[in-house]
Amino acid sequence: MMKVLIVDDEPIIRKVLKSMIRWEEHGLQWGGEAVDGEEAWEAVQQGGIDLVVTDILMPRMDGLELVKRLKQTGADVAVVVLSCLDDFTYVKEAMKHGAHDYILKPTMEPEQLVHILTEARDGLLLQRKEREQSEQLKRQLMLSKQAQWGQRLQKAWVTGMPDEELEAAWFRDGGEVASYLIHFAPGSQMPLLGWQWPDALAYISLSDQRLLLIYEGPSRSEEIRRFLLHECNIPEASFFITDIAAIRGVEQVKQTLGQHEALRSRYFYSDIDGTMMEPEPFSPPAESGDTLPLEERQNLLKAIAGRNEEAIHHWARHICLRLYREKPPVDQVYSFLHELLGLAAAFARQQTETAVDTFERKYVSLAAVQSRLRMQELTEWFDEACRELAAMLQSRSEAATRNPFVRKAIEYMRNHYRMPISTSDIAEHVKLSRSYLSDLYGKETGESLIEALTRIRIEEAKRLLAGRERKVYEVAEAVGFIDAKTFAKTFKKMVGCTPTEYEEQNK
């Protein structure tokens, strides 16, 4: 419904007009009243007013001055003038300045008021529709021109053939342009159709998540940012902009794509305040010539298969530290972590299928990975995924198994882990062949017999080390390892630190 503002310095007139008709029945709504043009101007400035019914002769600002000001500022309202017979000259002047119609106070009837207001309403709606169509046409023409230049620019890149018209239009007399690359998180970008990039020379859609804009003149980064935030309603965390200035040729525009990627990498590996993040000190594995943490990935998957919660946290952290240290291309990081989470879910599914479905829906998605535009955010999210996975796997405890042979094997390992027992000893105790028991145990628990025995030994070793009652070699012997060296190597692989370091951490 359109809101109507009544402007008159006589209270009785305002009261009569308010009660004269049933506003809602005619698609109108009482929008308030004002005692003069100054008060009415302030009300229109605040927004929400569509129709103004104003007297002519009033103190401070009269109705004629109000009509003129509304016309000059392009206010999106329709004006109807209230007139007495002796000030009709003013009414005609108001009509020249944009008033829609007038009403004579002495002869005013409800039907006449409704008729004039509905006409003013319909005229305003038509005016708004025509203005929107005109603006849409301008946007389409602008968009078309920008798209055409973008297509020509891409053609020049692909064919290597110069585009003399483009060069002349952009770089005549030493002219310069600047390129702006908008990087979107998945699902945040709007369809290109209908976008108007004010004064842009060209745009190129490089992918669903990257849009290149070419401008001339001063920096437009802040202008583009405001446009995305306020006109397109895209959250600030869902995009960022890189810009390259002082470009003096078509070929140089193409070369800036590599510069944009370098700026994207710097943004990705930077902290929230823009400073480059450096990883915490750690001992990387032997150099393999690969910037991706492949060995750490294998260790994480082994930890998942063994339901080793501490090792899962340890290797998840070291994967991210290695990525910070090596700083591989951003898209490589996204692909690597997406693939890793898929493998992690597959390993976990061997042990607990129902919970994995929920995990996969939440985490195993390239869009979910790519929606984190900084490595800091991605690290926190990846750590959250691994913690959730570890908790999910821990909830499936040994006690949950229903198979009596598996329960008997677990009981035997817990009672005899201090001794140098083997898988053959365990099989002999439960009265099954070693191969059959191994297969049965693996299907039931998701880990092998030797992995389970090693995990039990390391769990007890951690308890003894935390108590600081024995030396490392004594702990190794107490939990069934043949020597301290083998114990230390196994402990570090599963826990992520040496036995001595574990002691220090648990003082």
Side-chain angles (χ1 to χ4, degrees), residues 4 251 381:
V4 183
E251 186 59 30
W381 178 81

Side-chain angles (χ1 to χ4, degrees), residues 83-274:
S83 169
C84 294
L85 292 173
D86 58 353
D87 61 11
F88 199 69
T89 302
Y90 293 105
V91 173
K92 289 192 290 184
E93 186 70 9
M95 299 287 286
K96 288 181 183 178
H97 288 283
H100 176 79
D101 208 340
Y102 67 93
I103 302 173
L104 293 174
K105 288 184 182 181
T107 60
M108 183 170 53
E109 295 290 338
E111 294 80 10
Q112 182 192 21
L113 178 61
V114 168
H115 178 72
I116 289 176
L117 288 177
T118 53
E119 274 194 345
R121 177 198 64 195
D122 294 341
L124 181 61
L125 287 173
L126 179 62
Q127 192 178 77
R128 288 176 175 176
K129 183 177 180 181
E130 290 174 349
R131 184 166 58 245
E132 175 59 26
Q133 289 175 341
S134 175
E135 290 175 354
Q136 185 176 0
L137 179 60
K138 288 179 181 177
R139 285 197 299 267
Q140 290 174 346
L141 290 173
M142 178 66 74
L143 187 61
S144 176
K145 182 178 180 181
Q146 294 168 348
Q148 289 172 8
W149 280 119
Q151 291 169 2
R152 292 178 67 163
L153 185 59
Q154 284 184 301
K155 183 179 179 181
W157 292 349
V158 172
T159 63
M161 299 292 291
D163 188 322
E164 296 179 359
E165 184 181 351
L166 191 153
E167 290 276 2
W170 291 5
F171 305 108
R172 183 189 292 114
D173 301 325
E176 295 180 352
V177 301
S179 66
Y180 303 83
L181 191 58
I182 308 173
H183 308 260
F184 294 101
S188 62
Q189 68 273 27
M190 291 176 58
L192 291 177
L193 184 61
W195 278 28
Q196 180 187 8
W197 301 100
D199 305 323
L201 296 174
Y203 83 82
I204 300 174
S205 179
L206 299 175
S207 69
D208 289 342
Q209 293 165 235
R210 296 193 301 161
L211 178 70
L212 182 70
L213 297 171
I214 308 297
Y215 280 89
E216 60 182 353
S219 175
R220 300 298 186 94
S221 289
E222 184 58 27
E223 178 184 328
I224 296 170
R225 190 185 73 84
R226 287 197 303 267
F227 177 75
L228 293 171
L229 288 173
H230 304 302
E231 299 297 325
C232 306
N233 296 316
I234 298 179
E236 190 159 16
S238 296
F239 72 90
F240 68 95
I241 304 165
T242 56
D243 62 277
I244 308 292
I247 303 170
R248 299 183 178 86
V250 170
E251 186 59 30
Q252 192 178 346
V253 176
K254 183 179 181 181
Q255 293 170 2
T256 63
L257 295 180
Q259 294 173 272
H260 280 295
E261 190 59 35
L263 290 173
R264 178 197 185 196
S265 180
R266 182 171 184 83
Y267 177 91
F268 180 76
Y269 288 109
S270 67
D271 202 343
I272 299 303
D273 64 1

Side-chain angles (χ1 to χ4, degrees), residues 261-500:
E261 190 59 35
L263 290 173
R264 178 197 185 196
S265 180
R266 182 171 184 83
Y267 177 91
F268 180 76
Y269 288 109
S270 67
D271 202 343
I272 299 303
D273 64 1
T275 58
M276 290 297 286
M277 296 191 70
E278 294 298 333
E280 301 172 26
F282 79 108
S283 301
E287 293 295 333
S288 61
D290 201 315
T291 59
L292 296 175
L294 302 179
E295 185 175 337
E296 291 89 338
R297 178 183 66 183
Q298 290 303 110
N299 289 332
L300 175 63
L301 294 175
K302 288 178 182 178
I304 292 170
R307 298 203 310 273
N308 187 328
E309 186 173 6
E310 287 193 41
I312 291 173
H313 298 327
H314 170 81
W315 290 114
R317 176 173 171 271
H318 271 249
I319 283 170
C320 293
L321 288 173
R322 177 80 182 276
L323 291 172
Y324 270 126
R325 177 178 178 269
E326 301 291 349
K327 294 182 175 56
V330 178
D331 289 331
Q332 270 192 28
V333 174
Y334 287 147
S335 297
F336 176 80
L337 292 181
H338 173 234
E339 179 186 357
L340 175 53
L341 287 167
L343 290 170
F347 273 63
R349 188 176 291 282
Q350 297 175 5
Q351 303 176 51
T352 173
E353 186 160 344
T354 303
V356 174
D357 291 338
T358 303
F359 178 85
E360 284 185 321
R361 285 193 296 270
K362 186 175 180 181
Y363 295 106
V364 187
S365 158
L366 186 58
V369 180
Q370 291 175 335
S371 64
R372 277 70 192 177
L373 299 180
R374 291 183 191 266
M375 186 62 196
Q376 182 183 10
E377 300 164 0
L378 187 57
T379 295
E380 293 170 358
W381 178 81
F382 182 68
D383 182 67
E384 173 193 294
C386 290
R387 287 184 181 279
E388 191 167 314
L389 187 64
M392 178 179 70
L393 293 172
Q394 284 299 312
S395 67
R396 183 179 171 86
S397 64
E398 293 171 348
T401 181
R402 297 179 181 178
N403 191 290
F405 293 103
V406 173
R407 288 203 303 270
K408 195 172 182 181
I410 292 171
E411 182 183 2
Y412 180 80
M413 286 187 286
R414 289 208 169 275
N415 291 334
H416 297 83
Y417 67 86
R418 301 173 184 81
M419 303 171 63
I421 59 174
S422 65
T423 54
S424 298
D425 296 322
I426 302 169
E428 183 179 348
H429 175 76
V430 301
K431 309 302 183 187
L432 291 175
S433 70
R434 187 179 63 82
S435 60
Y436 183 79
L437 177 61
S438 296
D439 290 342
L440 179 64
Y441 194 94
K443 290 177 182 178
E444 185 75 16
T445 68
E447 62 182 344
S448 68
L449 281 169
I450 195 64
E451 286 172 339
L453 178 59
T454 303
R455 175 174 54 79
I456 291 170
R457 285 170 168 165
I458 294 298
E459 285 174 358
E460 177 61 17
K462 289 192 294 184
R463 189 186 67 79
L464 294 174
L465 289 167
R468 301 181 61 80
E469 298 172 355
R470 309 185 188 189
K471 297 183 183 299
V472 172
Y473 73 87
E474 291 176 332
V475 171
E477 184 179 351
V479 297
F481 280 87
I482 57 175
D483 58 65
K485 185 177 180 180
T486 302
F487 166 65
K489 183 177 179 181
T490 304
F491 190 95
K492 183 173 183 180
K493 185 173 182 180
M494 293 189 66
V495 181
C497 61
T498 66
T500 303

